[in-house]
Amino acid sequence: MRRGALFGMPGGSGGRKMAAGDIGELLVPHMPTIRVPRSGDRVYKNECAFSYDSPNSEGGLYVCMNTFLAFGREHVERHFRKTGQSVYMHLKRHVREKVRGASGGALPKRRNSKIFLDLDTDDDLNSDDYEYEDEAKLVIFPDHYEIALPNIEELPALVTIACDAVLSSKSPYRKQDPDTWENELPVSKYANNLTQLDNGVRIPPSGWKCARCDLRENLWLNLTDGSVLCGKWFFDSSGGNGHALEHYRDMGYPLAVKLGTITPDGADVYSFQEEEPVLDPHLAKHLAHFGIDMLHMHGTENGLQDNDIKPRVSEWEVIQESGTKLKPMYGPGYTGLKNLGNSCYLSSVMQAIFSIPEFQRAYVGNLPRIFDYSPLDPTQDFNTQMTKLGHGLLSGQYSKPPVKSELIEQVMKEEHKPQQNGISPRMFKAFVSKSHPEFSSNRQQDAQEFFLHLVNLVERNRIGSENPSDVFRFLVEERIQCCQTRKVRYTERVDYLMQLPVAMEAATNKDELIAYELTRREAEANRRPLPELVRAKIPFSACLQAFSEPENVDDFWSSALQAKSAGVKTSRFASFPEYLVVQIKKFTFGLDWVPKKFDVSIDMPDLLDINHLRARGLQPGEEELPDISPPIVIPDDSKGTISCQENMPSDIDESSVMQLAEMGFPLEACRKAVYFTGNMGAEVAFNWIIVHMEEPDFAEPLTMPGYGGAASAGASVFGASGLDNQPPEEVVAIITSMGFQRNQAIQALRATNNNLERALDWIFSHPEFEEDSDFVIEMENNANANIISEAKPEGPRVKDGSGTYELFAFISHMGTSTMSGHYICHIKKEGRWVIYNDHKVCASERPPKDLGYMYFYRRIPS
């Protein structure tokens, strides 16, 4: 009897029958290309590398048996032509309506349920209304021969082992892979059947204390009996006396949640029995047992700030347009993005980005070229993944309306085609967040920071001469006036968004805010519930004025002027971008260093005119400050550098250093901060730390340039520190291996004192650099020269024009901190506002334009 059969592809020349023994012979020529997945190999069996096709798609998914990349029917031929790889595993999930019993109930039926042990599924596929059957087979290209699986007896042993390994492989985004971003937590085995005692315990919103000691921090609520006890040596390394663990050993109650971490998105849950942090899918129910409404909680250390303030319920409701019946929207441009666990910041930014025509043209418009010339592993290519995401959002293939009710009877007789419920940006997030300590985590992040991170990636991976991020780039003119000499200096810097401070002093309801603050203090003192949070109403004009108003700059040129004088800084636009991104700076720190968010409403205009903020340059009667750099200290040692610890200037303010160090900053960074700000105090030095803390040498000891190492202003067009230090060949080789020219690598390294990371940044910030081979040869032939001819570098790319704009999108944040809460996006399309709330895309009824966090304006042609 035959145990295997070969069939032609549907629509082909029909089935091709062969003897069972011919199956092995058919695979012999391809055996060298079939691999067994090794430890560390990523097996993609959930999602196509170029699209969002999956085993649930009509054409299924093809997994390459050599690279373990997956491709939908539309893209598998491209991979075959490019690589010559012939053997693929075809995965298909068939979904059908369940057969109804005589009483009308569904008969349970699930076939081949173990074929995909780790296949992610949509929630609707696990419902009581559907059953599914999973199918796997080998397909040999180009003739599309199919070999049904499992077929252990007729397949060569190596092929059988490889197929089994692919089918049983884990998701490439699982926690065990150290290079992945998701850092998933396991679901506790105790969560589904957790016993909760009906003992009447209710947890107050504040004033928590350990039941066995006086500790008020690092407190854990036991989800069985409601005991509040201190922790010790848990996964967050917090201190304590270990009373929560002792309670578990005494009573055996397995799960506890850390108070102060509860937000509408989840909380820190620990399983004593499993000895690890876990997920509790029923956390909201378990907390409600003790009177905690999870949707109204916001994380702080001891609940003294936000849990006392009921609130921001209205903010959540208004921004999400709760209470209104929103009409779902489908088709091109109306595709949602599934939430991967606090990935809403990414989803909101990408929806806004791909509503901009320049990004649509750069990626989706170049789809054939980008896909055809993508590297062998397209999952690790930025442009490929941007194109994939853009096409997924704009094509309409993954946003189709549900089947009409009158077709249900016909559908029941055929295979059910589940409606798309948004696309998953899992592969995109894995790549763009790679090597980034924050975005690679599964925690909530700041949408504004992700926007700038994305712009940086676009800059580094530009497609030819086209760079869509040019539409955001503009120049800011900063005018600084010395308060002592009244002289001024004008400088320019590049920026990509306009940050508007919240002018709280201009609130139209200031009296109401003062009354509320008094009530809040009284309520906190007496532990009484507070009234609803009062929202400050700020005129937009006040925020716009604050953007260009004088700002005190105590540390400006204090060393150069040999005086501890203050300066006044004002900012204006030296150019207006094509698309203006405005961030409302709602987040700040309280006196206790707890992050907080201003509860403000700003009347953001639909039409914006900022032409009056155009830079004016040096004005008649103004005198420029001399171009003096801080004094250079030349050491006596032969190495050319000295440590600040050994030769620290005698007048450094050690008290300021210690104040900064007590905040948790590295000691060497504190010393540099105080030194470079001219001993103007801890507050000024703190500002220096905030600006420089992301730099790679932030915590390294202060070094001052010596002979041959001091950079002279204007000595080199590239800011090189001298030519006696030839760039190391191994560093040059690293840069050239990335596709850059040798001449460009040498100049970048000279400009950055041979620092590889900074050299790459220099290259990306000088995209108009044109090679001057004669100049570079002269540089290499005169490595010991001390002076090179000056040349004026080209300025940054800007698309200057009129300063009049119209609003077309905004991103809103709900919650008390950028590290918690939720982001959604509103975009104006085809004359109406649309709300993008993760995978849900609906027509907006009341767009909350006054509660936004980031606003996107497009220039109005003059």
Side-chain angles (χ1 to χ4, degrees), residues 724-779:
D724 57 337
N725 184 18
Q726 183 71 4
E729 279 300 319
E730 59 270 19
V731 183
V732 175
I734 292 175
I735 297 179
T736 56
S737 67
M738 299 178 182
F740 301 108
Q741 298 296 324
R742 175 179 173 81
N743 297 345
Q744 195 174 13
I746 291 175
Q747 295 195 23
L749 289 168
R750 290 187 181 280
T752 57
N753 199 24
N754 298 330
N755 184 295
L756 176 60
E757 183 177 354
R758 291 171 55 205
L760 290 173
D761 288 336
W762 186 93
I763 291 175
F764 293 123
S765 64
H766 293 74
E768 294 84 4
F769 166 79
E770 295 182 359
E771 296 176 52
D772 187 345
S773 57
D774 294 337
F775 178 72
V776 176
I777 291 174
E778 181 181 350
M779 288 175 65

Side-chain angles (χ1 to χ4, degrees), residues 698-710:
F698 174 68
E700 294 179 4
L702 171 64
T703 57
M704 289 165 284
Y707 294 108

Side-chain angles (χ1 to χ4, degrees), residues 63-99:
V63 179
C64 173
M65 294 301 292
N66 183 268
T67 64
F68 310 116
L69 297 170
F71 306 94
R73 178 184 290 179
E74 181 183 358
H75 300 284
V76 65
E77 294 280 357
R78 173 184 287 108
H79 187 259
F80 164 69
R81 292 193 303 268
K82 177 180 289 189
T83 65
Q85 173 63 25
S86 300
V87 183
Y88 296 81
M89 179 182 291
H90 183 250
L91 306 177
K92 181 72 177 79
R93 168 156 288 175
H94 303 277
V95 185
R96 299 180 179 88
E97 295 278 355
K98 278 189 176 179
V99 178

Side-chain angles (χ1 to χ4, degrees), residues 282-416:
H282 309 292
L283 182 60
K285 173 186 173 183
H286 293 156
L287 291 173
H289 181 80
F290 299 108
I292 299 175
D293 187 347
M294 181 173 168
L295 295 180
H296 295 168
M297 294 291 288
H298 301 277
T300 61
E301 178 59 35
N302 197 27
L304 297 179
Q305 297 291 325
D306 295 308
N307 289 334
D308 248 2
I309 299 176
K310 218 174 163 187
R312 285 208 171 80
V313 179
S314 60
E315 181 187 56
W316 285 76
E317 292 174 346
V318 172
I319 291 177
Q320 295 188 102
E321 302 188 49
S322 302
T324 59
K325 190 175 182 179
L326 302 178
K327 179 183 177 182
M329 302 191 71
Y330 303 94
Y334 299 106
T335 303
L337 287 166
K338 296 180 182 178
N339 197 319
L340 305 176
N342 289 336
S343 63
C344 52
Y345 67 93
L346 178 147
S347 300
S348 298
V349 170
M350 297 315 299
Q351 292 284 11
I353 287 293
F354 275 112
S355 68
I356 297 175
E358 284 76 3
F359 279 86
Q360 296 174 1
R361 288 195 300 267
Y363 295 103
V364 183
N366 281 320
L367 184 148
R369 181 168 67 91
I370 293 175
F371 281 179
D372 286 339
Y373 293 97
S374 65
L376 293 180
D377 186 357
T379 68
Q380 301 302 306
D381 180 64
F382 175 76
N383 292 325
T384 300
Q385 293 308 309
M386 278 287 284
T387 302
K388 171 184 172 178
L389 181 63
H391 181 262
L393 294 176
L394 302 174
S395 66
Q397 293 182 10
Y398 308 97
S399 178
K400 299 178 181 178
V403 179
K404 295 183 179 179
S405 58
E406 59 266 21
L407 298 178
I408 291 180
E409 186 175 347
Q410 299 177 26
V411 173
M412 289 180 65
K413 299 177 182 177
E414 303 174 359
E415 267 196 5
H416 172 70

